[in-house]
Every structure is written in C-alpha cells, then in structure tokens.
C-alpha cells in the first residue's frame, strides 16, 4: 500500500458547515480526496478515489444516503 503525502494539502470545509466545530475537512489531490475530522486535524484521514468520492457526493445530493 502506498502512502499519500498530505504535508502540503490545503484543507477546506463546506460552505454549508455550521460553525460549531462538528465538521469534516477535505482536500482534493491528483487522483484522490482525503477527509478528516476538523476537531482532530492530526488524527486519522480517510482517502477515497476521485470516482468513489464523486459517487458519494452524487448519492448525498440525491438523498440516497439516508439510513
């Protein structure tokens, strides 16, 4: 498994995020999207392929992720 260098990542929060600290941050890389908890910036990071992330966003926008 290869390691993805996040040392120069530019993290951002959604413009729709509440200002209560309970947010995720994301960074777009060449072929991946990385996501982390904004309250634990040194903690674990989830990395998704760009296609998988796009499918997730489409599902969220389409309301198909409700449990």
């Amino acid at each position: 498994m290869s390691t993805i260098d996040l040392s120069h990542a530019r993290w951002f929060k959604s413009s729709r995020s509440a200002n209560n600290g309970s947010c995720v941050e994301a960074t777009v890389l060449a072929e991946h999207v990385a996501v982390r908890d904004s309250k634990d910036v040194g903690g674990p990071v989830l990395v998704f392929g760009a296609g998988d992330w796009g499918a997730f966003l489409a599902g969220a926008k389409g309301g198909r992720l409700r449990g």
Side-chain angles (χ1 to χ4, degrees):
M1 180 177 189
S2 62
T3 302
I4 296 175
D5 180 13
L6 298 172
S7 61
H8 298 292
R10 298 186 70 149
W11 296 92
F12 66 91
K13 294 179 192 175
S14 168
S15 60
R16 295 182 182 252
S17 294
N19 234 357
N20 62 7
S22 297
C23 303
V24 296
E25 296 176 320
T27 187
V28 178
L29 309 166
E31 297 179 14
H32 300 88
V33 174
V35 181
R36 69 182 182 186
D37 183 343
S38 64
K39 295 182 306 299
D40 187 12
V41 297
V45 174
L46 299 175
V47 180
F48 301 92
D52 291 330
W53 184 252
F56 168 74
L57 291 179
K61 290 176 183 176
R64 295 185 299 272
L65 299 180
R66 297 199 168 100

